[in-house]
Amino acid sequence: MERKFATVDEAVSGGDCVIAASDDAMLNLIKGAVEAGISATFYVSRGIAEAVMSWYWTPERIKELGVEVVSPDELSKIEKELGFTDVIHFANRTPCENCGHVYGAFEFVDQGIRAHGREAVASVLAMKTAVLIRVNPSEVSICPNCGQRITRGALKLGERIVGGTEVPHHYGGTSAYAGCCTGGQARSQP
């Protein structure tokens, strides 16, 4: 028990927050953050992650957001070039308005490694009981080919993209990384 509280103390001293709550309370916190547009990261039990994924990733939302199962070829590329397996099961694929390169699962994992480091990505994937859920992530998808933000409706001025709406990247589905939930109303109650 002393080790558990030392871990809590260490997390809080680093600027994090630790919440202990019932499953229903956690589901309501996550749902509230999704619907309010609040950016947060939750480390939850598998049961809570499965409940969130079932009410968030409805067939209607999957279709609406263009999310698809990551192809075996892309999974193989992630494994061969980035060195990770079972890192992502579903994602949307968005063409860059500037150069046409498609931003998908490979690009997302690669950007995650560059932003957070290989060790951080490996640590998340190594979790045995906790599952990470990102709610309204603040990261912007960046095309690795031309370095521009992934947008829709932007204006191309020379080699630059100006304006437009950033296109969120939707992803997840592994046992340690449930993925993201971005905005919108939950389609059914948790």
Side-chain angles (χ1 to χ4, degrees):
M1 191 60 127
E2 185 177 320
R3 191 176 125 234
K4 182 177 180 179
F5 285 113
T7 303
V8 169
D9 197 43
E10 181 181 338
V12 173
S13 72
D16 291 329
C17 173
V18 177
I19 298 172
S22 69
D23 287 0
D24 286 343
M26 284 306 302
L27 288 169
N28 284 323
L29 285 169
I30 295 168
K31 180 181 174 191
V34 169
E35 293 179 351
I38 297 167
S39 181
T41 300
F42 294 89
Y43 296 89
V44 299
S45 69
R46 292 198 193 292
I48 291 173
E50 288 168 7
V52 169
M53 297 307 281
S54 71
W55 63 253
Y56 184 81
W57 287 110
T58 63
E60 296 83 12
R61 183 168 281 140
I62 289 169
K63 184 177 178 183
E64 173 187 322
L65 299 175
V67 174
E68 56 191 54
V69 172
V70 178
S71 73
D73 288 343
E74 194 163 14
L75 291 173
S76 176
K77 183 178 178 183
I78 291 168
E79 182 176 356
K80 287 178 185 168
E81 294 184 29
L82 303 177
F84 288 106
T85 59
D86 195 31
V87 65
I88 191 167
H89 290 179
F90 63 84
N92 58 329
R93 299 178 54 74
T94 308
C96 174
E97 286 186 310
N98 187 49
C99 71
H101 181 86
V102 176
Y103 188 98
F106 177 86
E107 290 75 14
F108 168 74
V109 175
D110 185 49
Q111 184 173 334
I113 292 168
R114 285 185 280 116
H116 307 293
R118 177 171 297 285
E119 186 178 320
V121 173
S123 294
V124 166
L125 296 174
M127 292 189 303
K128 301 291 184 223
T129 56
V131 180
L132 183 139
I133 296 178
R134 298 292 317 273
V135 173
N136 299 308
S138 58
E139 290 86 10
V140 175
S141 299
I142 303 293
C143 177
N145 191 49
C146 69
Q148 297 293 309
R149 298 174 302 125
I150 302 295
T151 58
R152 188 174 293 124
L155 198 62
K156 186 171 179 175
L157 297 175
E159 295 299 314
R160 291 185 48 232
I161 290 289
V162 179
T165 304
E166 290 173 355
V167 178
H169 188 65
H170 304 285
Y171 50 83
T174 69
S175 60
Y177 190 45
C180 74
C181 302
T182 303
Q185 297 293 309
R187 299 288 204 273
S188 61
Q189 296 298 314

